[in-house]
């Protein structure tokens, strides 16, 4: 028997033992040859470059394409003219009115001019206002108020009288304290008669709510006399008595006769 019967199959397939060229040593030897092979591959690349140049020179089929181009251009022009005619037939509308570009441009220019004028005017007014405010600040710079007391009281404000839009009462109030209500009646006692004779004074019972000014006006209106002085007192029974002294022009006895006291 030979040794091949006792050895495994991979033993014979290994390149180290069998001496095949597919091992690592074979790669080292054949490496320089593989490096030299790419050089002849450059020749077909150079040939490929020259082939398309020759093909470009001879292009016999380009002429019919050029002849067909003017026909296409004519068709495009016809279609363009038809489109323009259609557009011309329908004018542009702006808010339901025909749109005129010249009028629109004129309006736009006027609008721009107005806007520029307004901006310039606003700048000028702002500058004038700034100057005025600066001058006022300089001129109206007042000294701080010196406070001499600890208390702070509210300043006096403007209080306007009432001016209603409609009357709150349907009828005006009646003056209840008129001349007839103020002077009730004259006194005819002995002391009152003595005053008439000696002091030129008349004595009346008047309303408790009346004052001296009201008594003087009431006597003037009732008896047409002028009073020089009036003294008043309230009696223990609650009635108010008025001593009306007349001016030297008038005599108390004559007035008393007119009234009917004497």
């Amino acid at each position: 028997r030979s040794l091949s019967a006792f050895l495994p199959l991979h033993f014979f397939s290994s390149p180290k033992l069998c001496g095949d060229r597919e091992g690592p040593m074979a790669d080292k030897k054949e490496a320089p040859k593989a490096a030299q092979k790419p050089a002849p591959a450059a020749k077909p690349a150079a040939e490929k470059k020259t082939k398309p140049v020759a093909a470009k020179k001879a292009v016999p089929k380009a002429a019919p394409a050029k002849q067909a181009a003017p026909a296409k251009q004519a068709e495009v022009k016809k279609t363009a003219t038809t489109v323009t005619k259609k557009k011309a037939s329908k004018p542009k509308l702006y808010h339901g009115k025909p749109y005129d570009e010249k009028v629109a441009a004129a309006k736009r220019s006027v609008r721009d001019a107005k806007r520029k004028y307004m901006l310039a005017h606003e700048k000028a007014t702002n500058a004038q206002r700034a100057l005025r405010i600066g001058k006022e600040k300089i001129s109206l710079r007042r000294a701080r108020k010196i406070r001499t007391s600890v208390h702070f009281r509210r300043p006096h404000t403007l209080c306007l009288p009432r001016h209603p839009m409609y009357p709150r009462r349907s009828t005006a109030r009646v003056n209840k304290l008129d001349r007839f209500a103020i002077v009730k009646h004259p006194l005819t006692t002995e002391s009152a008669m003595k005053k008439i004779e000696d002091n030129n004074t008349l004595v009346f019972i008047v309303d408790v709510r009346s004052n001296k000014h009201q008594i003087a006006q009431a006597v003037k209106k009732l008896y047409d006399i002028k009073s020089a002085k009036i003294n008043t007192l309230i009696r223990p029974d609650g009635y108010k008595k008025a001593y009306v002294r007349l001016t030297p022009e008038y005599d108390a006895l004559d007035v008393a006769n007119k009234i009917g006291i004497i």
Side-chain angles (χ1 to χ4, degrees), residues 22-236:
E22 296 176 0
M25 296 300 290
D27 294 338
K28 289 179 182 180
K29 290 179 182 179
E30 292 179 0
K33 290 181 181 180
Q36 293 176 2
K37 284 181 181 179
K43 291 180 181 180
E47 290 175 1
K48 285 179 183 178
K49 286 180 182 179
T50 54
K51 283 178 182 178
V53 174
K56 283 180 182 178
K57 287 179 181 179
V59 184
K61 293 180 180 180
K66 287 181 180 178
Q67 291 175 0
K72 288 182 180 179
Q73 288 178 0
E75 289 177 1
V76 170
K77 283 181 181 179
K78 286 180 181 178
T79 54
T81 52
T82 53
V83 170
T84 52
K85 284 179 182 178
K86 287 179 181 178
K87 287 182 179 178
S89 62
K90 292 182 180 180
K92 291 181 180 179
L93 296 176
Y94 183 74
H95 292 290
K97 296 179 180 179
Y99 178 75
D100 192 357
E101 292 183 358
K102 291 182 180 179
V103 175
K107 287 182 180 179
R108 206 179 299 114
S109 63
V110 170
R111 201 184 307 121
D112 294 340
K114 281 184 180 178
R115 193 179 292 116
K116 286 180 182 178
Y117 172 76
M118 291 299 290
L119 289 171
H121 183 68
E122 189 176 355
K123 279 186 179 179
T125 51
N126 289 335
Q128 288 178 358
R129 196 182 295 113
L131 285 171
R132 189 177 68 251
I133 290 166
K135 287 179 181 178
E136 287 177 359
K137 281 183 179 178
I138 292 165
S139 62
L140 300 175
R141 190 176 291 168
R142 59 183 182 180
R144 178 175 282 184
K145 184 181 177 181
I146 297 168
R147 303 196 64 83
T148 56
S149 65
V150 181
H151 304 288
F152 178 79
R153 300 188 182 279
R154 293 175 64 193
H156 294 287
T157 56
L158 180 64
C159 296
L160 296 172
R162 291 189 177 185
H163 183 65
M165 300 301 290
Y166 66 94
R168 297 299 188 272
R169 286 174 170 270
S170 59
T171 56
R173 286 184 179 180
V174 179
N175 186 15
K176 294 179 180 178
L177 202 65
D178 58 353
R179 61 181 184 270
F180 302 105
I182 290 168
V183 178
K184 292 187 176 181
H185 59 83
L187 271 179
T188 58
T189 58
E190 289 181 4
S191 62
M193 298 305 289
K194 194 174 182 182
K195 289 280 184 186
I196 291 168
E197 293 172 0
D198 297 341
N199 299 325
N200 198 25
T201 60
L202 296 171
V203 185
F204 296 97
I205 297 296
V206 296
D207 195 286
V208 179
R209 296 170 294 174
S210 61
N211 55 25
K212 291 180 180 180
H213 297 288
Q214 291 172 345
I215 293 164
Q217 289 176 2
V219 169
K220 187 179 180 181
K221 287 179 181 178
L222 287 171
Y223 307 116
D224 194 15
I225 55 176
K226 286 184 181 180
S227 59
K229 188 179 180 182
I230 295 173
N231 293 327
T232 59
L233 61 88
I234 296 174
R235 299 192 309 187

Side-chain angles (χ1 to χ4, degrees), residues 1-8 12:
R1 291 185 181 180
S2 61
L3 291 171
S4 60
F6 299 100
L7 296 173
F12 295 100

